[in-house]
Amino acid sequence: MQNRINTLFETKKRDILSVYFTAGFPRLNDTAEIIQELEKNGVGLIEIGIPFSDPTADGPTIQRSSETALKNGMNVKLLFGQLKNIRETVKIPLIMMGYINPVLQFGVEDFCKKCHEVGIDGLILPDLPLEEFESHYKEIFQRNNLHNILLITPQTSEARIRQIDEASGGFIYMVSSAATTGAGKKVEDFHRDYFERIQQMNLKNPRLIGFGISDRATFANACHYASGAIIGSAFIKALQTGAMLKDSIQEFVKSIRDTE
Amino acid sequence: MKYDVNEKGYYGEFGGAWIPEMMYTNIDELRRDYLEIIKSEAFQKEFDQLLKDYVGRPSPLYFASRLSEHYGTKIFLKREDLNHTGSHKLNNTVGQILLAERLGKTRIIAETGAGQHGVATATVCALRGVKCVVYMGALDVSRQAPNVKKMKMLGAEVIPVHSGNKTLKDATNEAMRDWINNPEDTHYIIGSVVGPHPYPDMVARFQSVISREMRIQLLEKTGSEFPTRVLACVGGGSNAAGAFYHYLDEDLVELIGVEAAGKGVETKETAATLRVGTPGVLHASRTMLMQNEDGQITEPYSISAGLDYPGIGPLHSHLFTTGRAKYLASTDEEVLEAALLLTRKEGIIPALESAHALAALDKIQMKPDDVNVVNLSGSGNKDMETYLDYFGY
């Protein structure tokens, strides 16, 4: 069975907007509506964040949204329940993003099976290192048609990037700077060399750039060097305004790029 | 050695380096170079010299005669409280600052709970003229005020952390984020045998001077390098790792770690990870953790800020599951009474952390000829307010 992530990158080579949100935020049961509205507004790919008590690779905005989500009562089991019928309405690729411990406690095998059942296409688990993945979980992921999305940073060596490219199936998540999410530094200021260096490596996987993408300018710049970009913290902030989800999502996507 | 970390960074099923890719380059550099650096003759020479002249080692092994009489056995105290800065923490920070220099790092970050590791880090940074940032939970900042002032006087920037329970776990999260944001110039001096490989092994090696000296001192005082048992408190577990290290392969020496039971292991207000925890991944290590069934880390509680951590070093998880070491837990109340007992019997006011190990003396069977060594990991100077509140002086 073709994975929706591959279909996306085969049909759309540029300006892919990928949006991250924390499941259970701002309210416990907003998950399905957020996904549906994002798709309606032309978002190419969605990352559904599983909140964790100790998100060490995230900045303050996502930390706070995770805290709220957990207080709202979000957990992995509940999330799968909310996503049970999501494929009846949503066609674009869906990725789950989170830390490894809640996945380990759910059971990696069961977790992947559930992902497959509800129609998840890939996982981003920043604290599941490549080595652990390959020796323990690769086969489980494959059996459930899930891509393991791996990260690279400006500090990642060329040899390591080649290794990650070899091990990747969907796309490579390019961390724009070695920074926790939402640090908000302008990408174009000091990452041109890094972006160009990676561009010239002719990797077999497409790339999306994430971290520090927050508006039209940073998005457009990132798209210049990759198939698209990932926005997280800026979207979480947009959800905090208290307006109707439908309206704030439409307004947010419009602020990032023109509708197609 | 049977209990050594393997090449992948595991002690049995515990440990590893569950790091996000953003930390890979730094951790990989450490993993490749740390053994070669710390085993080199030049490093050893400089390290030993500083331990002797600056830290004040060897720390005495003191025969506590009145405490021994009280318990009807022989009790020795390994006086880590007499080290410069008042705890065992300096052994590790001296080692790591020398390592950081060799790695070309110019900025140091650290997490701290009770503030002992923060002070020890700020101290070596002052000693070597390096910039120092210490993350400390906001609750700990208020309950360990004297140490905060010391760090500031030493020139460190102390950043209060307001997330979570505002204690050690949250300070560690924030230090990890700092390292992710500053990968080029910064070295993270972790204060305990926790975190990704190679930290648990590296910190244990720097702290192993404790049991290296014990063997020499015991031989001198008792005619044998081997005591009946060694007791040490365990939060992350660095002083215990140091006190156990050179006895791990000596099966006749009983090793006892003592966790913080808080208000009791059966209550929710506890930090006794091995009693109430299950395996999971926190701070880049697979180890025993306090967590709920959804894998969210639960908040620990202890009267002692230095033991208030929901995890434990992977070495201890391994020693616990294999049965090589035994782990007990002391409640807040038992700890305060044990601290008073030592004070009145020996004229030594122990740190709250160390008093957990002392309180365990009431929980074990000891014969008159047994040789018990308690690792007195720190001084009670920082805890005077807590003691005064409780005893009402």
Side-chain angles (χ1 to χ4, degrees):
Chain A
M1 190 183 131
Q2 172 81 338
N3 185 297
R4 293 177 196 89
I5 298 172
N6 301 104
T7 313
L8 171 69
F9 285 96
E10 278 157 22
T11 52
K12 196 162 162 26
K13 306 278 182 209
R14 48 181 306 167
D15 295 339
I16 295 173
L17 172 59
S18 174
V19 172
Y20 167 95
F21 75 98
T22 307
F25 177 88
R27 286 160 309 186
L28 181 61
N29 292 312
D30 287 336
T31 310
E33 191 185 345
I34 292 174
I35 294 170
Q36 287 156 352
E37 290 302 321
L38 284 169
E39 182 178 49
K40 270 185 214 157
N41 284 283
V43 164
L45 189 157
I46 296 171
E47 294 167 21
I48 306 162
I50 306 164
F52 181 50
S53 53
D54 295 86
T56 46
D58 284 299
T61 306
I62 292 178
Q63 285 174 47
R64 278 194 299 269
S65 69
S66 302
E67 218 170 291
T68 306
L70 291 173
K71 271 191 200 136
N72 288 345
M74 182 46 77
N75 62 51
V76 174
K77 213 174 136 193
L78 205 65
L79 179 56
F80 281 128
Q82 293 174 342
L83 296 173
K84 204 171 145 208
N85 301 316
I86 199 72
R87 283 302 174 195
E88 289 173 8
T89 50
V90 173
K91 302 278 173 285
I92 59 173
L94 298 176
I95 289 174
M96 290 254 224
M97 178 164 187
Y99 291 80
I100 190 69
N101 198 49
V103 178
L104 290 175
Q105 303 313 316
F106 194 86
V108 178
E109 180 101 49
D110 288 348
F111 185 88
C112 291
K113 232 184 260 174
K114 270 288 186 191
C115 281
H116 184 60
E117 267 174 45
V118 301
I120 298 292
D121 305 289
L123 298 176
I124 306 176
L125 302 166
D127 59 345
L128 172 60
L130 179 58
E131 293 68 24
E132 299 285 349
F133 169 71
E134 300 227 294
S135 46
H136 298 115
Y137 306 123
K138 194 176 174 174
E139 213 188 297
I140 302 173
F141 276 52
Q142 281 171 349
R143 230 183 298 140
N144 291 290
N145 196 21
L146 289 170
H147 285 312
N148 181 30
I149 310 300
L150 299 163
L151 280 60
I152 63 170
T153 81
Q155 279 72 37
T156 312
S157 69
E158 179 165 347
R160 176 94 178 153
I161 294 174
R162 295 278 175 212
Q163 193 188 356
I164 285 168
D165 190 35
E166 211 44 57
S168 297
F171 65 92
I172 290 175
Y173 191 137
M174 254 178 93
V175 177
S176 65
S177 65
T180 50
T181 53
K185 296 164 189 164
K186 288 258 187 291
V187 276
E188 63 268 27
D189 288 350
F190 51 130
H191 298 116
R192 191 166 301 120
D193 290 353
Y194 162 58
F195 292 164
E196 282 174 359
R197 174 165 60 87
I198 305 302
Q199 211 172 17
Q200 284 157 13
M201 283 183 73
N202 292 314
L203 301 178
K204 71 181 176 78
N205 287 281
R207 289 155 282 119
L208 294 181
I209 295 176
F211 288 44
I213 315 292
S214 58
D215 53 21
R216 185 173 287 261
T218 48
F219 178 75
N221 181 63
C223 287
H224 192 67
Y225 300 97
S227 306
I230 301 162
I231 300 188
S233 300
F235 180 63
I236 300 282
K237 281 181 193 156
L239 292 179
Q240 285 166 337
T241 55
M244 299 276 291
L245 280 180
K246 190 171 169 292
D247 299 335
S248 35
I249 291 171
Q250 187 181 32
E251 197 179 315
F252 176 79
V253 177
K254 261 192 194 159
S255 77
I256 300 301
R257 62 158 197 211
D258 303 317
T259 37
E260 294 170 356
Chain B
M1 272 174 43
K2 221 159 58 183
Y3 296 95
D4 255 357
V5 75
N6 72 18
E7 70 286 351
K8 287 186 172 163
Y10 277 87
Y11 301 91
E13 56 176 307
F14 298 107
W18 298 73
I19 45 168
E21 195 61 32
M22 292 84 97
M23 282 169 70
Y24 182 85
T25 305
N26 273 323
I27 292 294
D28 190 47
E29 180 184 36
L30 264 184
R31 182 172 56 198
R32 275 185 282 111
D33 298 344
Y34 83 109
L35 282 180
E36 198 185 321
I37 291 175
I38 67 181
K39 283 179 175 175
S40 74
E41 205 177 312
F43 182 95
Q44 285 290 334
K45 204 177 151 204
E46 200 173 2
F47 185 46
D48 288 345
Q49 195 72 46
L50 280 171
L51 288 181
K52 181 167 176 277
D53 298 337
Y54 188 72
V55 182
R57 305 201 70 92
S59 67
L61 184 73
Y62 167 70
F63 177 64
S65 59
R66 297 220 317 133
L67 192 70
S68 295
E69 198 185 354
H70 177 84
Y71 282 108
T73 187
K74 291 182 191 136
I75 299 170
F76 289 86
L77 303 175
K78 181 62 174 159
R79 297 292 306 277
E80 293 299 303
D81 61 316
L82 294 178
N83 291 336
H84 179 39
T85 74
S87 82
H88 71 291
K89 292 291 187 187
L90 198 60
N91 304 329
N92 170 45
T93 59
V94 167
Q96 285 205 48
I97 196 82
L98 297 180
L99 184 83
E101 285 176 356
R102 282 158 174 83
L103 294 171
K105 303 292 188 177
T106 54
R107 177 176 175 268
I108 296 295
I109 55 170
E111 85 295 335
T112 197
Q116 291 301 96
H117 175 59
V119 168
T121 304
T123 298
V124 296
C125 288
L127 175 70
R128 307 303 273 206
V130 184
K131 188 174 161 43
C132 179
V133 176
V134 179
Y135 290 93
M136 188 168 188
L139 177 66
D140 292 339
V141 168
S142 65
R143 64 176 168 172
Q144 304 287 340
N147 274 341
V148 176
K149 288 176 191 151
K150 279 185 200 163
M151 285 184 266
K152 287 183 178 165
M153 183 159 175
L154 286 159
E157 183 186 354
V158 180
I159 302 183
V161 177
H162 291 276
S163 57
N165 221 19
K166 306 177 177 35
T167 62
L168 181 55
K169 174 193 75 145
D170 315 292
T172 308
N173 289 342
E174 212 49 43
M176 287 177 76
R177 289 185 190 112
D178 181 306
W179 209 17
I180 288 172
N181 284 318
N182 299 285
E184 306 277 359
D185 62 343
T186 299
H187 175 70
Y188 178 15
I189 300 192
I190 296 184
S192 192
V193 287
V194 301
H197 175 66
Y199 277 100
D201 182 52
M202 184 168 73
V203 176
R205 282 170 190 269
F206 290 144
Q207 292 295 357
S208 69
V209 64
I210 299 172
S211 48
R212 196 173 76 208
E213 289 173 2
M214 268 187 205
R215 288 181 70 143
I216 298 165
Q217 292 165 323
L218 276 172
L219 181 65
E220 226 168 71
K221 289 182 198 301
T222 69
S224 165
E225 293 175 58
F226 306 110
T228 312
R229 62 182 66 82
V230 179
L231 297 102
C233 68
V234 182
S238 71
N239 90 80
F244 294 172
Y245 197 87
H246 290 287
Y247 292 117
L248 286 171
D249 288 331
E250 312 294 342
D251 289 339
L252 287 177
V253 179
E254 196 184 340
L255 306 175
I256 299 180
V258 187
E259 294 189 293
K263 295 187 176 164
V265 290
E266 69 290 343
T267 71
K268 284 197 165 174
E269 291 172 287
T270 181
T273 307
L274 292 176
R275 287 293 189 83
V276 302
T278 49
V281 171
L282 176 68
H283 297 147
S285 178
R286 184 176 190 280
T287 189
M288 297 295 276
L289 297 179
M290 291 173 55
Q291 57 183 327
N292 68 17
E293 59 173 25
D294 194 41
Q296 307 297 340
I297 309 306
T298 52
E299 301 294 355
Y301 163 80
S302 164
I303 192 171
S304 116
L307 304 181
D308 202 352
Y309 185 68
I312 186 168
L315 168 66
H316 292 292
S317 293
H318 182 53
L319 297 177
F320 172 71
T321 33
T322 55
R324 172 62 190 97
K326 197 153 88 180
Y327 291 84
L328 306 173
S330 304
T331 64
D332 290 355
E333 209 166 307
E334 292 166 345
V335 165
L336 289 159
E337 294 302 334
L340 185 62
L341 182 69
L342 183 74
T343 305
R344 294 295 167 87
K345 291 286 180 195
E346 302 290 346
I348 297 169
I349 303 179
L352 280 166
E353 290 76 16
S354 321
H356 283 72
L358 293 164
L361 292 168
D362 282 315
K363 300 168 192 283
I364 52 176
Q365 295 288 326
M366 297 178 290
K367 297 196 195 92
D369 288 334
D370 283 359
V371 173
N372 305 278
V373 181
V374 178
N375 196 36
L376 201 71
S377 56
S379 141
N381 284 347
K382 68 183 175 58
D383 298 312
M384 286 319 297
E385 208 167 316
T386 309
Y387 288 141
L388 299 189
D389 275 356
Y390 183 78
F391 297 114
Y393 300 126

